[in-house]
Amino acid sequence: MTITVKALQKTGPDQPFQVADLERRDVGPRDVLIDIKAAGICHSDIHTIRNEWGEAHFPLTVGHEIAGVVEAVGAEVSGFAVGDRVGVGCLVNSCGECDACAQGEEQECSGGKGKKVGTYNSVDVDGSVTQGGYAQKVVVDDRFVLRVPDALDFAQAAPLLCAGITTYSPIARWNVGEGTKVAVLGLGGLGHMGVQIAAAKGADVTVLSRTLAKEETALKLGASRVRATTEDGFFRTHRGEFDFILNTISADIPVDDCLGLLRPRGVMAVVGLPPEQQPVGFNALINGSKVIAGSNIGGIRETQEMLDFCAEHGLGSWVETIGIDDVDAAYDRVVAGDVLFRFVIDTATFEDAPVG
């Protein structure tokens, strides 16, 4: 048996979104059926469904920032009950047996039976292509369901399942906290969460942007100051100023110059993914014994830790809520940088929408 729900789909990269019937699998013994209340729009959704990264499987429903309410649970599920507030992020399965999975780092699953499976556009264990959260409901293995604390509004919580954990994980890994001088490079969907989280951990946060246009907003988010990287002599003036740089920019940057902003043994954690390769001079790393590190979302355990941390400290994504008819236009606005800071789809707008 299957469950039929309404979902936003594209049949090709240049086609508009349309409402379609989507078949979800029936609830198995270890499954949770979630009535989706909010679905965040991530730039990865745009890259994928516009086939900018290649290998998009159409027709396709994207969305890996999902928040909602449990509608049903399988017979073997003990951790969740009908009515619970829950969320789903970028993963819906992993092998559960490799070293990474055993350590709670499912995002680094090395494969095997039941390999790592993304929330959308990924081949599931049954050979089907996963379909994401721009829909009324989703069925997910209970191992990949998160609890959304009562303090978090669904619309604010949904983007945390990607943007929140993407920035929280490297901040936690590199022990950012009291006494740490942090620079957040870029103030977009990722950067605005990085500022909030680092500041809540007690760090002194500086936002680095091309201009001072977002200075007022950055200060409201918890930054102590904003610096414009286009100022004359910027990289010389601020050389050796920071312990930690969170690079959220998905575009070319002068990597060696940015590394020069770090103190000896400083770390630049990269979470933005530019389309082009970035050149790195080894001398910029060796001189000062500096580190450049990548970070890929986080495991389920750490994602829950992030949600609880955000609830405890009153943090959430800054969002603009839209209906299902607004998504095509929202994509163009995301690409143009015209949103503070995330769009979230109110899935209640599916209710009266005709299919087709």
Side-chain angles (χ1 to χ4, degrees):
M1 294 180 61
T2 57
I3 301 167
T4 303
V5 303
K6 292 179 183 176
L8 279 183
Q9 284 192 339
K10 280 195 176 194
T11 56
D14 300 321
Q15 299 301 308
F17 278 104
Q18 61 183 16
V19 178
D21 282 333
L22 177 65
E23 299 298 318
R24 299 292 197 188
R25 69 173 183 266
D26 197 12
V27 178
R30 300 294 311 182
D31 283 336
V32 177
L33 172 62
I34 301 169
D35 180 16
I36 300 172
K37 301 299 184 183
I41 292 177
C42 176
H43 210 135
S44 297
D45 302 346
I46 300 173
H47 287 309
T48 299
I49 209 163
R50 289 183 173 179
N51 212 26
E52 293 168 350
W53 286 344
E55 297 186 359
H57 299 86
F58 294 100
L60 182 62
T61 295
V62 293
H64 57 208
E65 300 177 347
I66 302 167
V69 176
V70 174
E71 185 172 307
V73 297
E76 298 177 12
V77 174
S78 59
F80 299 97
V82 173
D84 284 352
R85 306 173 80 250
V86 295
V88 179
C90 302
L91 298 175
V92 292
N93 211 339
S94 72
C95 77
E97 299 173 352
C98 67
D99 289 344
C101 288
Q103 295 168 13
E105 301 288 347
E106 294 89 353
Q107 81 281 10
E108 309 295 351
C109 173
S110 59
K113 184 179 179 181
K115 62 182 180 178
K116 180 173 67 176
V117 178
T119 306
Y120 62 76
N121 198 48
S122 188
V123 179
D124 210 341
V125 293
D126 63 0
S128 65
V129 174
T130 54
Q131 304 290 334
Y134 296 8
Q136 291 177 304
K137 305 178 194 297
V138 65
V139 179
V140 181
D141 185 295
D142 68 335
R143 295 179 300 138
F144 292 86
V145 178
L146 289 305
R147 292 190 176 277
V148 174
D150 291 340
L152 295 176
D153 175 85
F154 284 131
Q156 290 182 312
L160 299 181
L161 278 303
C162 179
I165 185 57
T166 295
T167 51
Y168 181 91
S169 185
I171 287 171
R173 176 185 177 188
W174 295 103
N175 299 312
V176 170
E178 295 283 349
T180 308
K181 295 201 70 174
V182 170
V184 175
L185 193 54
L187 191 65
L190 292 176
H192 94 288
M193 286 308 311
V195 170
Q196 292 183 78
I197 292 166
K201 284 184 172 286
D204 178 37
V205 181
T206 300
V207 169
L208 305 183
S209 186
R210 290 183 56 82
T211 72
L212 301 179
K214 295 180 180 179
E215 183 173 23
E216 182 178 352
T217 300
L219 298 179
K220 288 180 180 178
L221 288 164
S224 298
R225 66 197 65 81
V226 179
R227 297 287 182 259
T229 59
T230 51
E231 293 175 356
D232 287 342
F234 172 84
F235 290 100
R236 181 177 63 254
T237 301
H238 298 282
R239 188 171 184 82
E241 188 169 321
F242 303 104
D243 302 297
F244 180 83
I245 297 173
L246 181 66
N247 175 18
T248 71
I249 295 178
S250 294
D252 293 346
I253 64 167
V255 179
D256 288 4
D257 287 340
C258 290
L259 288 170
L261 300 173
L262 290 170
R263 293 173 174 171
R265 301 190 183 278
V267 175
M268 181 166 74
V270 180
V271 295
L273 187 61
E276 304 296 334
Q277 295 291 326
Q278 301 297 293
V280 180
F282 284 175
N283 63 319
L285 293 172
I286 292 172
N287 291 329
S289 302
K290 296 167 186 176
V291 175
I292 184 168
S295 187
N296 177 26
I297 56 172
I300 299 303
R301 181 173 57 213
E302 189 174 47
T303 304
Q304 187 63 62
E305 178 183 302
M306 175 275 303
L307 288 169
D308 294 340
F309 179 87
C310 288
E312 179 184 353
H313 292 274
L315 311 182
S317 184
W318 287 22
V319 304
E320 181 177 334
T321 303
I322 60 173
I324 59 172
D325 294 331
D326 305 316
V327 176
D328 282 308
Y331 271 28
D332 291 336
R333 287 180 57 192
V334 170
V335 172
D338 180 27
V339 58
L340 288 178
F341 282 95
R342 298 291 260 205
F343 284 113
V344 174
I345 303 166
D346 177 5
T347 55
T349 55
F350 275 113
E351 187 65 29
D352 299 322
V355 173

